[in-house]
Every structure is written in structure tokens, then in C-alpha cells.
Amino acid sequence: MDKNINTKSNVVRVLVVDIETMVIDALRVSTVGFGNFEWNQCTSLNDSLALIKSESFDAILVDPQFISQARLPAIEKILEVAGKARVALFSDEVDIPLLAGCVERGISGFIDKKMPAGGVISALTIILLGQRFIPSEIIRALIENESEVVLSTFQKGILKRAAEGLKNKEIGSDLGITEGQVKSHINSIRKKLTANNRAHAVVIGRRMGLI
């Protein structure tokens, strides 16, 4: 993508993977005058994968909230078929462990749905120019989570899901790792928190503000 992304002769094709239609409708109206953007939408993962394979897009914005489970593997599938398209999370909620995993896999950024249209276009422009866009406050959250000695961001994500009552198999499916790997992480978490068992680790994690 060259730097002339907003010229009339250069249509920027954006695919939004999300079940909410109001957001993209608002973007279509609000971004008139900001550039020659073509907004497309898919409301299911399978349909979006098929569309990405059959058509060319410059950017793909994904709201992970619409994915009921296995969010990280689902985003990995989108990244696999995206080709040259830039892929970014597009949501009004931030799941730090999920975002950290996405960053490790090469996601192009995070755009807050609550941003005004001009802000969305500015963030999208940065991403289209080959840079990563993540709001500064979210970067700080990522750094703070990683800098805490006790648990890594990924381990906090596992502990959070354990606190929600998910079984090892469900946690593994959600984060794209095996059931055995989840068990290994749980054991590591338990040792780091000096917890007697899984439930005790959850109690300690909540008390420490880790989840």
C-alpha cells in the first residue's frame, strides 16, 4: 500500500468482521470526505474466511467479541488467509491476554470502536502504511502486565479463564494450545502463587488483582 491511500483513483477496501451492523453503517456515513474507502462486512467467521480467499482487501478489522470461543485460533485463521491485507482488532473492549497473543502473531493493531470516525481513519491510515497502531494507554497496559514478576500476560489469561469455570480443554481451544499445555501452565501458575490447587490459585489471583 503506497502513501496515496486517500486518492479517488485508489479505493481502499476494508472488511469488517463483526455482527454489529450499526458500526459499519455509521462509518460509511461518517467517513464521507475522509477518503475513498469501501466498507464491507461479514457477520460470521466462515463467511469472512471464504470472502477473504475470493476477494482482495487492504485491511481487515475483526471484533473478537463476536467469536464465542477459540478466539485466538479464529484470528490466526484470518491472518493465514489475509495475504497482504492488514489485520487489526476492532472492538470497544480490550482483552489484554488475547491482544498480546495477537501481537505475537503479527496483528497490525487495535482500533477502538468508540473512537470518532476521524480517529478510526487516522488509525487505519497508520496501519495501511505498514505500521502498527495500538493506543498508548493499551500499550502501557501490555507493558505493565508483562513487567509484573508473578505471571505473564498469557498465564493471566489462562487463570482468568479458569476463574470463569472453563475446563482445560476449553481454555486450550480458546487460546490455541493443547490441553496438556494448559495443565502445565496451571501447574506453573500454582507454583508461582504458592497455591495448594487450581481453586486456591484463582483466589490468590483475585486477591492480588491479577484477574
Side-chain angles (χ1 to χ4, degrees), residues 86-161:
R86 303 288 179 179
V87 181
L89 299 188
F90 184 54
S91 181
D92 55 9
E93 291 187 9
V94 186
D95 183 332
I96 293 297
L98 176 64
L99 178 57
C102 289
V103 168
E104 290 174 359
R105 287 158 177 79
I107 204 86
S108 292
F110 177 92
I111 301 178
D112 193 334
K113 275 186 180 180
K114 297 189 294 293
M115 294 173 68
V120 172
I121 294 301
S122 295
L124 189 55
T125 300
I126 291 171
I127 289 170
L128 289 169
L129 292 175
Q131 301 176 49
R132 177 174 283 160
F133 177 85
I134 299 177
S136 57
E137 64 273 15
I138 298 178
I139 291 176
R140 285 195 295 271
L142 286 168
I143 293 173
E144 288 170 2
N145 273 272
E146 288 294 348
S147 65
E148 291 176 4
V149 178
V150 180
L151 299 181
S152 69
T153 297
F154 196 74
Q155 287 177 326
K156 288 177 184 177
I158 290 175
L159 187 60
K160 177 178 180 292
R161 286 162 174 81

Side-chain angles (χ1 to χ4, degrees), residues 14-21 24 28 39-55 57 60-63 66-67 78 90 113:
V14 183
L15 175 64
V16 178
V17 184
D18 188 8
I19 58 174
E20 292 185 7
T21 59
I24 191 169
R28 287 191 179 110
W39 297 95
N40 304 270
Q41 182 171 18
C42 264
T43 57
S44 79
L45 176 62
N46 290 336
D47 286 348
S48 66
L49 293 173
L51 186 60
I52 294 167
K53 289 177 182 178
S54 64
E55 298 188 25
F57 294 97
I60 302 168
L61 305 182
V62 184
D63 186 349
F66 95 98
I67 304 171
I78 293 174
F90 184 54
K113 275 186 180 180

Side-chain angles (χ1 to χ4, degrees), residues 145 148 156 159 202-211:
N145 273 272
E148 291 176 4
K156 288 177 184 177
L159 187 60
V202 168
V203 171
I204 294 174
R206 282 177 173 155
R207 186 171 67 239
M208 295 179 67
L210 299 176
I211 53 176

Side-chain angles (χ1 to χ4, degrees), residues 71-86:
R71 291 179 175 179
L72 189 56
I75 294 169
E76 284 180 330
K77 290 179 181 178
I78 293 174
L79 286 167
E80 287 172 4
V81 300
K84 294 182 180 180
R86 303 288 179 179

